[in-house]
Amino acid sequence: MLVYASDKIITGTSSTQDLLQVTVYDLSGRLLFMEKQINSRTFSIPLKHVADQMVLVQVATERGVVTKKVMLY
């Protein structure tokens, strides 16, 4: 699972499994974004309205949940 940010767009890719859900939180636990039923191996989330900060990106697949820290800038 590869997750990265550039120009306030978070992008993620899985080479082996379809993604079911993506959730983005700030470090205080506040929900910034949620997308269900992605059914794809890639996603792209524009977060232009969010200040530059570290965020937690939680990605659910059929095999479980992965959480990554990403610097949003």
Side-chain angles (χ1 to χ4, degrees):
M1 173 67 56
L2 175 66
V3 179
Y4 61 94
S6 179
D7 295 327
K8 292 203 176 184
I9 298 174
I10 298 174
T11 304
T13 304
S14 173
S15 60
T16 60
Q17 340 173 27
D18 283 347
L19 308 174
L20 303 176
Q21 178 176 318
V22 176
T23 310
V24 180
Y25 300 95
D26 65 11
L27 291 183
S28 66
R30 191 170 35 139
L31 178 66
L32 301 176
F33 178 87
M34 179 186 282
E35 175 96 24
K36 294 182 180 180
Q37 299 178 350
I38 295 174
N39 300 324
S40 174
R41 291 188 179 183
T42 63
F43 66 87
S44 184
I45 304 167
L47 293 174
K48 303 285 185 185
H49 65 284
V50 178
D52 293 355
Q53 61 183 304
M54 186 72 70
V55 295
L56 299 174
V57 181
Q58 191 175 64
V59 181
T61 67
E62 293 175 353
R63 293 188 182 171
V65 177
V66 175
T67 303
K68 301 277 189 173
K69 281 186 185 177
V70 177
M71 183 62 194
L72 187 62
Y73 62 94

